[in-house]
Amino acid sequence: MQTILITGGAGFIGSHLAEEYLRRGYRVVIADYSEENKAKNLQTALDHENARYYSANIRDKAAAAEIFARHKPDIVSHHAAQKSIPKSMDDPAHDADVNITGLLNVLDLAGRHGTRNFIYISSGGALAGDIAEGGKSRESDYPQLASPYAISKFAGEQYVRVYAQKYGFAFSALRYANVYGPRQAADGECGVVPIFVNNILAGAPSALMAYSDLPRGCTRDYVFILDVVRANMLVTEKPLNDVVNIGSGVETAVLDIYEGLAREFASEVPIVAQGPRAGDLRRAVLDCSKMEDFTGWRAQVSLAEGLRAVREWTLGEAR
């Protein structure tokens, strides 16, 4: 039985991965320090006999070292991160402490304890190139690096390559688009779906960050959680030793997301246009053909299907 360590495994994405890895017969070790997320997201996973949870912060190398020494994971899925662009603008030192220092702790321990496969989670949106109208961002495009968060994630990709060469482990760096779905928290840029849902349910207006030439707001690539889980399973089985985009390849304006949710919830609560936010990219949509060429993966869940699943889960949680 192979052991996988998921850092940040109590979060939205990590908890979905934990359940799928357990279903596939892995021993799953979760390192996280959010007791709130543990209570909300890990009830099913932690009922399994092959799941272990540690309340640990990856910035605490001694605590992380104990986990590695005890379990010697074959695979590491590094999802722990500071993921907010605005927070990275306000406190770039904290962003670097989590996204670089924390990563270096995990990389060093993985190498020293014989990890064979390291899965690093990067950001396709924050690292998007300056794309022309109708174009899509490829992994080879130089990123705009418009925020400390983007800088730390891009640096992380380089560190992963260096440590993989130093210790001889395989790796895959997954540049996620805006992942959404059940369990997602209403924080960070990627949390726009639950933010809108919460506002709709509360009858409160939402804010639309818009430009004069982008009246429907910035555009992003939205990918459903189950498609992201499938991508992770593929690189777990066959590491790529490369960086790949993970998205739908469909450019969607923020107002389109709001209108889709308003239809699902039969809501007439308004959305109010505001000015752009520091550090935001105007447009981001990913070319995911590289991942498809490597593995055959492509996103399968449409935006309409995904938003419907969010509504069904939200209403089910409210019962």
Side-chain angles (χ1 to χ4, degrees):
M1 179 182 294
Q2 292 193 88
T3 298
I4 181 164
L5 169 63
I6 308 175
T7 66
F12 157 51
I13 300 173
S15 63
H16 281 278
L17 290 174
E19 290 177 6
E20 182 62 16
Y21 281 120
L22 288 165
R23 191 185 71 80
R24 291 180 179 230
Y26 288 83
R27 181 180 293 108
V28 175
V29 179
I30 297 165
D32 205 311
Y33 64 93
S34 173
E35 293 302 312
E36 179 183 2
N37 283 346
K38 176 186 176 185
K40 288 192 308 183
N41 298 336
L42 290 177
Q43 291 180 352
T44 299
L46 293 184
D47 282 341
H48 199 287
E49 62 180 355
N50 290 328
R52 298 291 183 273
Y53 175 86
Y54 292 89
S55 180
N57 190 320
I58 59 168
R59 290 178 290 166
D60 182 346
K61 191 170 184 179
E66 289 184 13
I67 298 170
F68 272 90
R70 180 172 297 178
H71 294 283
K72 294 181 171 51
D74 303 287
I75 306 152
V76 172
S77 175
H78 186 60
H79 277 76
Q82 190 298 115
K83 64 181 187 299
S84 167
I85 289 176
K87 287 181 181 177
S88 80
M89 300 291 285
D90 292 339
D91 192 351
H94 175 70
D95 179 88
D97 193 27
V98 177
N99 291 348
I100 295 180
T101 303
L103 169 65
L104 293 178
N105 288 342
V106 177
L107 282 169
D108 184 61
L109 291 167
R112 292 179 185 276
H113 288 277
T115 294
R116 299 196 304 270
N117 183 2
F118 196 98
I119 302 168
Y120 173 67
I121 305 310
S122 189
S123 173
L127 297 185
D130 187 7
I131 54 178
E133 189 71 30
K136 297 181 181 182
S137 181
R138 296 181 174 87
E139 296 87 349
S140 57
D141 296 339
Y142 195 79
Q144 296 179 66
L145 301 178
S147 67
Y149 170 74
I151 293 169
S152 68
K153 280 297 178 182
F154 188 58
E157 294 178 357
Q158 317 317 311
Y159 278 119
V160 170
R161 287 186 185 276
V162 169
Y163 275 77
Q165 291 173 354
K166 177 180 179 180
Y167 287 110
F169 56 73
F171 77 93
S172 301
L174 307 184
R175 287 187 179 179
Y176 287 169
N178 284 37
V179 187
Y180 72 99
R183 301 183 196 157
Q184 188 175 19
D187 62 0
E189 180 190 81
C190 289
V192 65
V193 170
I195 289 171
F196 285 164
V197 168
N198 289 351
N199 288 342
I200 286 171
L201 294 178
S206 293
L208 173 68
M209 310 301 178
Y211 294 83
S212 58
D213 59 336
L214 290 173
R216 298 185 67 80
C218 299
T219 64
R220 294 292 182 266
D221 186 323
Y222 294 87
V223 60
F224 191 63
I225 181 63
L226 296 185
D227 284 323
V228 170
V229 169
R230 284 195 303 107
N232 276 268
M233 296 305 116
L234 288 167
V235 300
T236 299
E237 296 164 2
K238 186 180 179 182
L240 307 178
N241 295 312
D242 210 339
V243 177
V244 291
N245 289 333
I246 303 296
S248 66
V250 178
E251 186 173 6
T252 303
V254 173
L255 187 55
D256 293 333
I257 297 293
Y258 188 82
E259 291 176 347
L261 288 168
R263 285 192 296 272
E264 287 295 332
F265 287 91
S267 169
E268 296 182 358
V269 179
I271 185 168
V272 180
Q274 298 181 358
R277 185 173 59 182
D280 272 349
L281 299 185
R282 291 163 53 89
R283 297 178 56 236
V285 58
L286 307 183
D287 181 334
C288 302
S289 58
K290 188 175 179 181
M291 179 65 173
E292 184 175 3
D293 290 344
F294 277 153
T295 69
W297 179 92
R298 64 165 57 187
Q300 295 179 349
V301 180
S302 71
L303 183 62
E305 292 168 334
L307 295 181
R308 188 169 305 117
V310 168
R311 175 182 62 81
E312 291 171 354
W313 176 82
T314 302
L315 297 180
E317 286 290 292
R319 292 193 187 104

